Amino acid sequence: LATGPRQNNGFFYEIRTYDIKPAKMKEFLELVNKYFHFRTAHSELVGFWYSELGAMNKVFHIWKYDNFAHRTAVRHALANDKDWQGKFISAALPMIEKQHNEIAYLVPWCQLGKPPKEGGVYEWLTFQMKPGGPALWGEAFQAAVNSHVNTGYTSLIGVFHTEYGLLNKVHVLWWNESPDHRAAGRHRAHEDARVVAAVRNSVRFLESQQNVLLIPLQCSPLK
C-alpha cells in the first residue's frame, strides 16, 4: 500500500497508551510526577496526559526519536538504569492493566506545534481511514483539518500517521482553552459551509473515529 510522502528527516514518534487500574490511578499519576525525570533523562518527551472524557483511567505519552537505532539505544539504557527500574518501573507495573504503543510520523504538511498558553485541555482524535494510505485520502484529510484550523476556534498541535500498529490510522492533537471553549468552537465550525464541505469530502475515506479529552501532567512539556 502507498504510504505517501513523509517529513524530510528520520524523526518519528512513539505513542504509548496505558490502561491503569481504577483504584491505582491517583497513585500512578503521583508516581509519574515524582520519578519521571529518570525517564526523560534518556530521550525527549513530547507530552504526557491522562484521560478526562471519552476514556477512563488511561494515560497517553508521546516520545520523539531521531531514528530506530536511537530508540534501541534508549531502550537498552533504560533497562540498565537502576533508578528508573527500581523507583518507577517496579512500583508502576502492578498498577498497569494494559500497554499499547504505535510508531507514527508527523504528516509532511504539519510541524509539531505548541499551545498559545498553558492551562488548557487537549483533544486526541483518532481517524481510521480506508486502506491505501495518504496517496488515496491524504489531500482530502488535509483539507478537512485545515478547514477546522482556519475557523480559529482551536489550535492544532500535531497530525500523526501510523507506521507500526493499526495502519491507515491518523491521530490529530488539538488544544483548547477549556472544554466549553471547544464546544463553542465546534458549534461554529459545524455552521461554517467551508468546514462542512471539506468534512463531507474526507468522510468518503473514513471507516471510524473516536476522541479523548486529555489533561496534561505536571511533567508534560506540552501543558
Side-chain angles (χ1 to χ4, degrees), residues 91-104:
L93 283 180
M95 305 179 193
I96 299 173
E97 290 190 327
K98 188 188 301 182
Q99 295 175 294
H100 176 73
N101 76 334
E102 296 173 312
I103 298 298

Side-chain angles (χ1 to χ4, degrees), residues 7-151:
Q7 295 278 11
N8 295 321
N9 53 54
F11 295 147
F12 66 82
Y13 298 84
E14 182 174 8
I15 302 164
R16 286 184 164 246
T17 306
Y18 297 169
D19 288 9
I20 309 301
K21 294 179 180 178
K24 295 293 185 179
M25 188 65 175
K26 182 176 183 294
E27 185 179 350
F28 181 84
L29 297 181
E30 291 173 348
L31 191 70
V32 170
N33 282 322
K34 185 176 182 180
Y35 290 124
F36 223 60
H37 62 281
F38 293 125
R39 175 61 184 85
T40 54
H42 291 276
S43 65
E44 181 180 349
L45 175 66
V46 174
F48 200 126
W49 305 266
Y50 67 88
S51 60
E52 179 69 13
L53 296 171
M56 297 184 69
N57 302 302
K58 283 183 178 286
V59 296
F60 294 74
H61 40 125
I62 303 175
W63 301 90
K64 182 180 180 181
Y65 292 103
D66 297 337
N67 48 48
F68 288 98
H70 178 211
R71 181 184 182 276
T72 298
V74 169
R75 302 301 298 174
H76 178 76
L78 287 169
N80 292 282
D81 186 324
K82 294 182 179 179
D83 284 328
W84 173 243
Q85 294 294 330
K87 295 180 180 179
F88 183 83
I89 293 296
S90 61
L93 283 180
M95 305 179 193
I96 299 173
E97 290 190 327
K98 188 188 301 182
Q99 295 175 294
H100 176 73
N101 76 334
E102 296 173 312
I103 298 298
Y105 291 92
L106 276 174
V107 297
W109 44 270
C110 173
Q111 299 297 319
L112 190 64
K114 293 183 178 181
K117 62 181 180 180
E118 293 186 3
V121 297
Y122 291 78
E123 184 180 9
W124 181 255
L125 283 99
T126 298
F127 300 86
Q128 185 60 50
M129 309 301 291
K130 292 182 178 179
L136 175 66
W137 42 257
E139 290 184 3
F141 190 87
Q142 178 182 357
V145 170
N146 286 339
S147 71
H148 284 82
V149 172
N150 293 337
T151 64

